Amino acid sequence: MAIDEERGARVYYARANGTYRDAVPIDAVGGRPYVLVVADMDADGAVDVIVGYVRAQPVVLYNDGTGRAFERVPFGDADGSAYGFAIADLDADGTLDIAVARSDARNVVYFGTALPVRKPMPSNPSAQQMINRDATSVADESPSNPMTDARPS
């Protein structure tokens, strides 16, 4: 995986002889990418990609299981510039959460229950699509629901 500020997130697939194929773009949309991390966000066994941008909404690129097709789902807000992610089950509820380090904005945690979720598409039961549930930032002092809202850190 690599990011290119001009061409977006790209994957270099390995060949059996130890060399790599030419880069394949997986997300050329969304502004200037600055950081990416991989994790199995939906626990389907396929590695997904989380991309942060300069002054644009971050996205989860859900892997369809082939490693060659990704569904783009924005989350959070476009405040500041994401420069780092940490992925873990911070609230021990069984779903991964995303902590975002940002410049020119408060750092924030998006809890898995507030992130985009997926369900089977009717046209192809093995494929997936997202239902986007917005994660709303709330202040540390008074989170309306600490398990589902984004909280600045």
Side-chain angles (χ1 to χ4, degrees):
M1 296 251 132
I3 52 174
D4 179 320
E5 286 189 8
E6 301 298 322
R7 294 184 266 167
R10 305 167 79 69
V11 176
Y12 292 86
Y13 295 100
R15 294 184 175 123
N17 67 4
T19 63
Y20 291 89
R21 293 181 169 84
D22 289 339
V24 175
I26 60 171
D27 185 40
V29 187
R32 285 187 8 219
Y34 193 78
V35 62
L36 69 77
V37 67
V38 296
D40 185 2
M41 294 303 297
D42 54 4
D44 66 353
V47 177
D48 306 307
V49 182
I50 301 91
V51 182
Y53 298 90
V54 175
R55 301 197 185 288
Q57 223 176 348
V59 299
V60 176
L61 300 171
Y62 286 102
N63 183 343
D64 74 349
T66 67
R68 300 198 179 273
F70 296 83
E71 294 188 61
R72 182 180 206 278
V73 178
F75 68 94
D77 59 51
D79 293 347
S81 298
Y83 65 84
F85 291 119
I87 309 296
D89 183 4
L90 299 170
D91 54 6
D93 68 350
T95 59
L96 291 177
D97 309 308
I98 303 173
V100 184
R102 306 186 294 185
S103 59
D104 301 321
R106 292 185 71 174
N107 298 330
V108 66
V109 173
Y110 293 98
F111 290 93
T113 53
L115 290 170
V117 283
R118 301 164 54 125
K119 69 174 189 175
M121 292 190 331
S123 61
N124 181 353
S126 66
Q128 299 286 316
Q129 73 180 20
M130 275 59 63
I131 302 168
N132 192 356
R133 297 187 306 185
D134 293 328
T136 306
S137 293
V138 295
D140 281 334
E141 301 76 38
S142 60
S144 60
N145 183 339
M147 301 308 280
T148 59
D149 292 337
R151 292 185 285 183
S153 59

